[in-house]
Amino acid sequence: MVKIRQVSSVDWEHIYQLIEANMFSMQQELGLDWNRESIIKHYRSKTVLVAESGCHVIGFIAYDVSTNNQTIHSLQISREYQNGLCGYRLLKAVLTTELDYVDHDSQVSCCVFENNVAKEQYFSLGFKEVNRNKGVLNLEIKRQRLLERLRLG
């Protein structure tokens, strides 16, 4: 059983290990710097939900919300749980719990490495590339369209 909850202070080491397992080699391949402390500091400044199975963190989503935009800074799923429903559940939790803070016409944006196979899942949901810089794709979709694609709206 997967449970979605707010991040707690004891989760950060697990979150970092998940980021490192999923992103380190892609980031090196693209020639981007890797700094553990700045990575942790970055994600600690975001709103974070974790997915856990038993007592293990198996995924997380880090995001910000403003009136006209929800920005997903990272959606990471442990390898053994990828291509299941964990990512969908985390995305759904963000989209359905922040309803009071967003306009109907708002955007959802995210970034993904160009060498990450997960980009295909974003494209299949209807995200469009709006910018590309140093191997990082910036993607956007109208929030309402994403809700419809996920059968939430």
Side-chain angles (χ1 to χ4, degrees):
M1 172 91 183
V2 174
K3 178 181 157 190
I4 308 293
R5 61 170 175 77
Q6 292 288 325
V7 69
S8 71
S9 58
V10 298
D11 296 325
W12 288 105
E13 184 59 32
H14 300 287
I15 288 171
Y16 176 77
Q17 289 171 2
L18 186 55
I19 293 167
E20 186 176 64
N22 287 350
M23 296 175 59
F24 182 76
S25 63
M26 282 185 278
Q27 216 164 310
Q28 282 208 309
E29 193 176 293
L30 293 169
L32 302 172
D33 290 337
W34 186 270
N35 181 301
R36 175 189 167 96
E37 296 312 311
S38 65
I39 289 168
I40 291 172
K41 183 178 178 184
H42 173 75
Y43 288 113
R44 280 184 178 259
S45 72
K46 310 303 175 202
T47 302
V48 177
L49 298 177
V50 297
E52 70 178 4
S53 179
C55 294
H56 302 288
V57 173
I58 60 168
F60 76 94
I61 188 167
Y63 66 98
D64 284 323
V65 178
S66 67
T67 305
N68 60 357
N69 193 44
Q70 285 182 288
T71 303
I72 299 166
H73 293 279
S74 193
L75 173 57
Q76 299 289 325
I77 308 299
S78 179
R79 283 204 172 91
E80 58 269 25
Y81 289 89
Q82 290 176 1
N83 300 314
L85 291 175
C86 191
Y88 167 79
R89 287 179 176 156
L90 284 164
L91 188 55
K92 177 183 172 184
V94 168
L95 294 170
T96 58
T97 59
E98 299 291 349
L99 298 175
D100 297 341
Y101 302 101
V102 293
D103 287 340
H104 182 74
D105 290 334
S106 65
Q107 298 277 343
V108 175
S109 60
C110 68
C111 294
V112 64
F113 292 135
E114 67 184 18
N115 58 348
N116 187 341
V117 296
K119 71 183 179 195
E120 298 309 323
Q121 292 174 318
Y122 288 109
F123 290 138
S124 72
L125 286 172
F127 278 85
K128 303 287 186 215
E129 181 179 333
V130 294
N131 190 12
R132 182 183 297 231
N133 185 23
K134 296 181 182 175
V136 178
L137 309 180
N138 292 303
L139 309 177
E140 280 186 357
I141 188 173
K142 286 261 185 223
R143 187 175 185 283
Q144 190 56 43
R145 171 129 169 82
L146 181 58
L147 287 169
E148 291 165 5
R149 297 285 303 198
L150 295 171
R151 295 180 177 87
L152 299 172

